[in-house]
Amino acid sequence: MAKLNLAVLISGSGSNLQALIDACEELNFPAQIRVVISNRPDAFGLERAQKAGIPSFCVDHKNYDEREEFEAVLQTTLEPYPVDLICLAGFMRILTAGFIEKWPNKIINTHPSLLPKFGGEGMYGEHVHRAVLEANEKESGCSIHYVIPEVDRGSVILQKTVPVEAGDTIETLSTRVIAQEHIAYVDAVRIIAQQQT
Ligand code: GRF
């Protein structure tokens, strides 16, 4: 059975990438990672990709004045690989509508809240967990969603919920959420792969 071909875009630690690498090492997992691209040269995720023998590249956004220039190089880097789905995994750049329309319904992202709550411009990383704590939410979680030009507004593929505990800090909450992201991302890729075969 043909496997879904993934490109994974990262900016940092790459723990979500690692979850996908580990899943793809299971023979019957219906996807394989063809290429990993980081916009930051110091992303530890690049080491994870190299260790797993996956072609990896850095396209440093700081080398380009315009977002469109950066995205043109991103596109050129992707082109030699058979990519069915682009997985944004801790990727911290906003993609323009121009790039997204080249990949209709083929870009997914993980967001560390129960979208549509606590999503949108400027809501990333610890800003999300701080807002959840300040709003006194009783639960939070993560959302794997399709990427459209409106930030964090694409249709949600699946969510995992975690309790917000008394005394939680940004640190304790983010640790609980990211553990669920790792599970959710693998599940979402499996769902998409099974829909496409
Ligand atoms: C994750 O919490 C993700 O939701 C956010 O970036 C964080 C880091 O992810 N976008 P990773 O460890 O680099 O995969």
Side-chain angles (χ1 to χ4, degrees):
M1 174 194 67
K3 292 199 172 210
L4 193 73
N5 295 301
L6 312 179
V8 184
L9 273 50
I10 61 170
S11 298
S13 133
S15 69
N16 282 287
L17 165 65
Q18 191 62 57
L20 290 170
I21 289 172
D22 297 347
C24 290
E25 281 170 0
E26 299 288 322
L27 278 182
N28 57 9
F29 188 70
Q32 60 191 328
I33 304 171
R34 293 288 192 166
V35 62
V36 171
I37 304 173
S38 171
N39 67 300
R40 295 192 34 168
D42 60 348
F44 181 64
L46 286 170
E47 283 184 46
R48 296 180 194 267
Q50 281 139 27
K51 209 163 135 230
I54 300 167
S56 59
F57 303 88
C58 174
V59 179
D60 188 341
H61 66 283
K62 293 198 187 74
N63 293 343
Y64 308 96
D65 296 335
E66 300 299 325
R67 204 176 279 275
E68 287 73 10
E69 268 181 273
F70 163 68
E71 292 178 347
V73 179
L74 215 46
Q75 184 67 20
T76 311
T77 309
L78 286 164
E79 254 145 29
Y81 299 90
V83 175
D84 302 313
L85 183 70
I86 296 177
C87 300
L88 308 185
F91 186 67
M92 303 310 268
R93 302 298 298 167
I94 304 276
L95 295 168
T96 66
F99 183 88
I100 293 168
E101 70 194 18
K102 290 193 177 74
W103 298 89
N105 252 344
K106 290 181 180 297
I107 308 177
I108 64 174
N109 181 47
T110 174
H111 182 80
S113 77
L114 296 172
L115 293 175
K117 295 174 90 171
F118 306 105
E121 293 271 350
M123 288 305 281
Y124 56 87
E126 66 174 58
H127 303 291
V128 175
H129 304 300
R130 180 179 297 112
V132 167
L133 293 172
E134 284 170 357
N136 246 331
E137 296 288 311
K138 296 295 165 262
E139 63 178 22
S140 190
C142 62
S143 307
I144 313 296
H145 64 94
Y146 282 101
V147 172
I148 61 173
E150 294 75 33
V151 175
D152 296 335
R153 290 288 172 261
S155 58
V156 171
I157 300 158
L158 81 95
Q159 296 183 310
K160 293 271 184 194
T161 303
V162 301
V164 177
E165 311 280 4
D168 258 335
T169 61
I170 289 172
E171 177 83 20
T172 57
L173 180 56
S174 62
T175 302
R176 195 174 306 126
V177 168
I178 202 164
Q180 293 305 309
E181 287 186 72
H182 299 160
I183 299 165
Y185 220 133
V186 170
D187 288 351
V189 167
R190 184 185 291 110
I191 289 167
I192 294 169
Q194 285 164 350
Q195 281 166 352
Q196 301 200 3
T197 47

